[in-house]
Amino acid sequence: MSETGGNEDQGGRAPAVTLKPGREKPVRQRHPWVYSGAIRRIPKEFADGDIVPVTDARGAWLAWGYLNRRSQIQVRLLSWDPDEVINDAFWRNRLAQAIRARCDVAGRDTDVYRLVHAESDYLPGLTVDRYADYLVLQAGALGIDRRKAMLTGHLQELTGCAGVLERSDMVQRKQEGLGEASGLLAGDAPPSQVEVQENGLRFLVDLAGGQKTGFYADQRANRARVAAYCHGKEILNVFSYTGAFGVYALARGATHVTNIDASIPALELGEENLRLNGFDPDAQSESLAGDAFQILRDWRAAGGPHFDVIILDPPKFATSKRSVDRALRGYKDINLLAMGLLRPGGVLATFSCSGLIDAALFQKVIFGAAIDARRSVQILEWLHQGADHPVAVTFPEGQYLKGLVCRVV
Ligand code: SAH
């Protein structure tokens, strides 16, 4: 069934969300968001969550999208084709296209990856991660929330997965006028820990209770890159979560890994992950629970310990435009502290997943930290989110994860 009621009476005569004069350019350039400030009129017969047509101020066709008056982004755009019929087959095709595109990532040795990356997969607001036989769905927009049962049905059929779990417990949902929603959407409930493989390494993931959807698959390629610097080295893995960077490092011949995280359950699962890969957590690692800033400051005051490789993968410090300045100070502080704890010639692998801070600005932060730490810092590599987290060129906001591998002298 078509949700848009056919297209025969489109083209300005039918009711449409109408933009203010001069506000159509980003829409014509296929940016998927229409902010409230760009909109002149929303016909009252449209309900939030509906698929609605959007026209420019003179009524000329622009796009289809789903409406949510309660959001700052009042329309999220789905199609620029006036003849598109947004029905069951439309959704299924979009999902199938995203799933097909993952064949380069998925393989015998990797069964944890992002299956659907929202706006950048032309499905605004929908995130789906695959964890072996299970899928975890996040609905970040009302238009998706309304359709999640239908989308789940297609996902089950297209992937043959055993079950689909929802983890729509992101703060971002508040901005859509939605509460938190978690639970089983379809199929079998996953066990409390699901075992997945990433580049042949094994990890346990708590799908129901872990952070985000359970695992940070966006760092897959970067874990492998950073591990290449770890042979014979002592590693400090700050903001370790369940220790994935450390597992890679030991697999590439690191002598010892110290994991720091504020979450005790994450650190405990990290020790399980070491055992699962044949390492001895007591002999080859240490887990420190606490505030990373405080632990590193205490070490600086005490004059050590020092490490050969330090990995910094903090949570998103910049969550809104207003918090960017504070976030920049946080990134600078933690990097400054880490530089002081590296042995001469050591390697710093430093990341930021704040979309509001771009790669150029992040590099400036590292520059500032290097000056204050009185260290010479060379950039060896620029890193990004993995290929299963694509960035549609029409949606540069989709680029959020960046990292630098630096040599610190
Ligand atoms: N590197 C991880 C992902 C890190 S996510 C991986 O590869 O899987 C960020 C982590 O930082 C989370 O596990 C969170 O618990 C932790 N965290 C947040 N604030 C912290 C703080 N002030 N001190 C220590 N850990 C913190």
Side-chain angles (χ1 to χ4, degrees):
M1 195 191 72
S2 165
E3 295 187 46
T4 48
N7 312 295
E8 50 285 349
D9 55 1
Q10 286 313 311
R13 281 163 294 134
V17 171
T18 312
L19 301 194
K20 290 177 183 165
R23 301 303 289 267
E24 66 282 358
K25 189 173 171 196
V27 176
R28 286 204 202 286
Q29 293 182 337
R30 303 207 165 202
H31 193 280
W33 291 347
V34 183
Y35 284 99
S36 55
I39 295 176
R40 188 170 72 185
R41 201 178 84 87
I42 301 175
K44 38 175 199 315
E45 57 264 48
F46 291 164
D48 285 346
D50 284 358
I51 308 282
V52 299
V54 180
T55 69
D56 73 8
R58 290 175 310 174
W61 172 260
L62 289 173
W64 296 106
Y66 34 69
L67 178 67
N68 185 1
R69 290 177 182 80
R70 299 183 68 179
S71 175
Q72 284 262 77
I73 302 165
Q74 288 190 322
V75 188
R76 287 176 196 252
L77 301 174
L78 285 166
S79 170
W80 284 258
D81 175 1
D83 298 323
E84 187 94 73
V85 181
I86 299 178
N87 56 12
D88 231 45
F90 168 89
W91 294 107
R92 192 182 174 91
N93 285 338
R94 285 275 162 105
L95 291 170
Q97 191 184 340
I99 292 165
R100 262 197 311 277
R102 267 58 186 187
C103 65
D104 303 321
V105 174
R108 251 188 316 134
D109 63 355
T110 296
D111 60 11
V112 51
Y113 48 88
R114 179 144 298 182
L115 209 54
V116 179
H117 191 43
E119 272 75 354
S120 286
D121 273 311
Y122 313 104
L123 288 162
L126 176 65
T127 299
V128 184
D129 287 334
R130 175 153 211 163
Y131 292 94
D133 287 337
Y134 296 92
L135 304 185
V136 180
L137 178 149
Q138 285 188 320
L142 177 66
I144 292 297
D145 201 69
R146 285 280 174 81
R147 294 170 179 81
K148 62 194 175 194
M150 175 270 297
L151 294 166
T152 297
H154 288 310
L155 284 165
Q156 272 186 301
E157 280 178 32
L158 290 165
T159 64
C161 66
V164 184
L165 195 70
E166 178 171 22
R167 284 293 306 274
S168 299
D169 44 21
M170 325 81 95
V171 280
Q172 173 207 342
R173 297 245 309 177
K174 272 205 193 98
Q175 296 156 17
E176 292 281 308
L178 296 165
E180 295 188 0
S182 303
L184 188 66
L185 289 170
D188 305 332
S192 61
Q193 294 178 349
V194 173
E195 188 182 324
V196 298
Q197 277 203 72
E198 187 182 84
N199 288 323
L201 297 169
R202 297 160 69 189
F203 296 96
L204 294 170
V205 184
D206 176 359
L207 299 188
Q211 296 178 21
K212 289 220 286 193
T213 68
F215 194 70
Y216 292 87
D218 52 358
Q219 289 282 29
R220 179 189 323 101
N222 301 335
R223 291 184 187 118
R225 286 302 320 151
V226 172
Y229 297 89
C230 294
H231 185 83
K233 301 289 168 62
E234 252 182 88
I235 317 297
L236 176 63
N237 183 19
V238 190
F239 308 102
S240 65
Y241 188 49
T242 54
F245 273 101
V247 170
Y248 274 72
L250 288 173
R252 284 295 291 265
T255 56
H256 190 270
V257 175
T258 302
N259 287 321
I260 298 180
D261 203 277
S263 160
I264 291 171
L267 288 170
E268 286 172 352
L269 199 51
E271 294 189 359
E272 287 298 309
N273 285 334
L274 287 176
R275 279 188 209 101
L276 193 62
N277 288 281
F279 303 114
D280 176 357
D282 297 326
Q284 294 173 283
S285 79
E286 189 177 359
S287 302
L288 296 174
D291 174 33
F293 287 84
Q294 196 54 52
I295 293 171
L296 267 54
R297 264 188 221 114
D298 291 348
W299 283 349
R300 178 175 64 183
H306 290 87
F307 302 89
D308 302 309
V309 176
I310 300 183
I311 299 151
L312 296 179
D313 184 20
K316 185 157 92 178
F317 288 159
T319 48
S320 66
K321 281 199 175 126
R322 263 178 298 137
S323 65
V324 167
D325 282 344
R326 238 193 103 190
L328 291 172
R329 282 197 296 280
Y331 286 119
K332 183 176 166 186
D333 280 354
I334 200 74
N335 278 279
L336 173 64
L337 288 164
M339 286 174 190
L341 295 171
L342 274 171
R343 296 196 176 108
V347 168
L348 174 66
T350 180
F351 295 91
S352 161
C353 60
S354 298
L356 291 165
I357 294 172
D358 68 14
L361 185 52
F362 185 56
Q363 190 174 320
K364 280 195 192 123
V365 170
I366 302 310
F367 162 75
I371 296 295
D372 286 10
R374 299 167 192 270
R375 300 288 154 127
S376 302
V377 174
Q378 297 168 306
I379 297 171
L380 310 179
E381 297 192 43
W382 281 263
L383 304 178
H384 306 281
Q385 65 215 52
D388 51 336
H389 294 63
V391 182
V393 290
T394 47
F395 183 65
E397 292 87 339
Q399 161 64 40
Y400 67 98
L401 179 63
K402 57 250 136 208
L404 295 169
V405 181
C406 304
R407 192 170 303 285
V408 179
V409 182

